[in-house]
Amino acid sequence: MAEAAMAAPPDGDGDGDGDECLPRYRHLLCPDLLAGQVAFITGGGSGIGFRIAEIFMRHGCRTVIASRSLQRLAEASKKLVAATGQQCLPVSIDVRQPQSIAAAVDEALQEFKRIDILINGAAGNFLCPASALSFNAFKTVIDIDTMGTFNTSKVLFEKYFRDHGGIIVNITATLSYRGQALQVHAGAAKAAIEGAAGMAVLPVSHCCCNPSPEAMTRHLAVEWGPNKIRVNSLAPGPISGTEGFRRLGGKFAEQSKQFSAIPLQRAGNKTEIAHSALYLASPLSSYVTGTTLVVDGGSWLTSPNSFSALLDVWAAGANQPH
Ligand code: HXC
Ligand code: NAP
């Protein structure tokens, strides 16, 4: 592979803005890497979760894609099956409601008889200054991101992983590493899942200040390791062609050349996140647990965190759903 290609996005041109499968795909890893396995992917009907489902299926995995909108999931499932030839079961859940998760996991086990991988990708987010954020808005994001990750992990543990082992990958974010403006709700919600992983790169003298006693990934990795369950987080940076990118001012950042501050000088794409999830969900990472893989082109180290610029993006309504 040419040297420049090492930091270039694979199949970057075809990654697209919508929830479509890649028009072409060249395997970088063995196509049967996940053969015979089943992945349960919350948020699998759109954005990053959709691409994770696609890439897993292109590596021999069957998938269950789970979120609230069954109609969107059904459409996504059709596309995924057509592009990959693998099975994909759409199931409706609200990760805030454990009974809905339990029913979906029962349905998935009935259909596939096994679940090997859980991707916790469901999330809710929008730009909002803390002063304008209602109490219920903060709670809603905590309920979806933090509680939803715990609820789904616990249901999977009780129904299957406790006795068979498994792999959990929590999709988090780097927001809390530097206290991103207008993001106290999502930053707090994701930090509870992951802990301040970025702090691990600081000298030991700084680590004693690491305020992350409630890092779900580490707690569950420790507690469930003896059950042969690996638990890791994957923290994406700004990923183009996603709802998160649209809501959090990605277009503005692109237009105002802010991505030139990122060491790799660009936003990431969905396929790059899916490839990193594939690593964490496969035997390639068989001795990796309790950690966070930051996939952001070095973004959190150098990117601007401008309160006033983000206020402008917020005022312009970028956080409204598309
Ligand atoms: C301020 C808002 C708001 C907004 C909703 N609320 N949207 N407050 N700005 N844009 C408030 C509401 O007024 C309400 O509070 C409370 O939040 C709950 O709103 P509901 O609409 O009732 O909630 P719900 O229907 O459960 O929807 C959840 C949602 C919604 C998060 C608000 O946007 C959603 O379903 N999002 C899923 C898709 C998504 O967000 N994708 C992007 C993920 S990107 P009151 O007080 O009025 O009752 C991501 C990126 C992370 O996570 C990191 C990037 C770097
Ligand atoms: P997205 O397409 O909006 O993904 C969020 C998914 O969560 C949707 O499929 C949504 O489907 C589902 N969801 C929301 N609330 C739910 C609930 N209560 N119960 C079940 N499912 C629910 O956005 P995305 O940008 O691709 O984000 C995917 C993941 O990557 C998220 O965890 C996000 O925090 C993370 N992330 C994204 C970026 C980025 O730049 N995009 C950066 C860092 C981290 P329904 O509406 O059908 O429920």
Side-chain angles (χ1 to χ4, degrees):
M1 196 180 285
E3 196 178 325
M6 296 296 187
D11 303 309
D13 295 346
D15 204 68
D17 249 1
D19 295 322
E20 301 296 334
C21 292
L22 294 164
R24 57 194 171 280
Y25 182 72
R26 183 172 65 87
H27 283 88
L28 300 173
L29 291 168
C30 181
D32 64 359
L33 189 62
L34 298 181
Q37 306 217 359
V38 176
F40 191 100
I41 304 171
T42 72
S46 66
I48 288 171
F50 177 87
R51 185 70 81 239
I52 291 175
E54 176 188 348
I55 295 296
F56 281 20
M57 291 167 78
R58 289 186 185 276
H59 289 83
C61 196
R62 290 163 289 167
T63 58
V64 183
I65 53 174
S67 73
R68 294 165 301 179
S69 168
L70 192 54
Q71 189 189 336
R72 178 154 73 160
L73 291 164
E75 284 164 20
S77 164
K78 270 194 206 135
K79 293 179 199 171
L80 290 164
V81 172
T84 69
Q86 292 291 339
Q87 290 170 277
C88 174
L89 177 69
V91 289
S92 176
I93 64 170
D94 188 323
V95 293
R96 295 168 287 192
Q97 295 169 1
Q99 321 85 291
S100 75
I101 306 168
V105 170
D106 284 343
E107 189 183 338
L109 287 172
Q110 179 104 10
E111 177 79 15
F112 294 130
K113 313 290 179 235
R114 62 188 293 160
I115 298 172
D116 304 277
I117 300 159
L118 166 62
I119 306 290
N120 280 309
N125 198 8
F126 41 79
L127 287 177
C128 190
S131 58
L133 194 64
S134 73
F135 296 110
N136 189 43
F138 185 87
K139 180 179 183 299
T140 297
V141 173
I142 298 284
D143 281 349
I144 299 172
D145 295 23
T146 314
M147 292 303 301
T149 296
F150 179 72
N151 294 341
T152 314
S153 303
K154 182 171 156 66
V155 170
L156 252 300
F157 179 78
E158 286 175 357
K159 289 198 176 280
Y160 198 76
F161 287 176
R162 183 193 341 240
D163 297 330
H164 301 86
I167 294 169
I168 300 176
V169 179
N170 299 320
I171 309 299
T172 59
T174 62
L175 300 167
S176 68
Y177 299 176
R178 294 192 308 147
Q180 185 77 33
L182 278 62
Q183 284 287 271
V184 64
H185 42 303
K190 296 289 195 180
I193 301 168
E194 176 195 301
M199 300 295 272
V201 302
L202 293 177
V204 175
S205 59
H206 289 77
C207 287
C208 61
C209 310
N210 181 350
S212 61
E214 61 288 279
M216 200 185 307
T217 296
R218 291 184 209 151
H219 284 280
L220 295 183
V222 169
E223 215 171 295
W224 291 350
N227 298 76
K228 300 200 171 18
I229 300 168
R230 294 195 291 112
V231 188
N232 290 294
S233 295
L234 192 173
I239 304 304
S240 59
T242 65
E243 187 64 19
F245 192 84
R246 288 185 281 271
R247 287 188 185 206
L248 302 191
K251 287 272 179 254
F252 165 81
E254 203 164 44
Q255 282 155 12
S256 56
K257 307 259 182 279
Q258 280 186 18
F259 292 147
S260 61
I262 297 176
L264 291 186
Q265 309 216 302
R266 62 176 176 83
N269 74 30
K270 292 171 280 192
T271 304
E272 292 176 304
I273 299 304
H275 279 157
S276 298
L278 180 63
Y279 164 73
L280 288 174
S282 79
L284 286 167
S285 60
S286 53
Y287 202 49
V288 179
T289 196
T291 194
T292 296
L293 180 57
V294 178
V295 187
D296 74 338
S299 175
W300 81 269
L301 296 165
T302 58
S303 293
N305 183 6
S306 162
F307 187 24
S308 59
L310 280 165
L311 272 179
D312 288 346
V313 175
W314 174 63
N319 60 335
Q320 297 309 315
H322 286 65

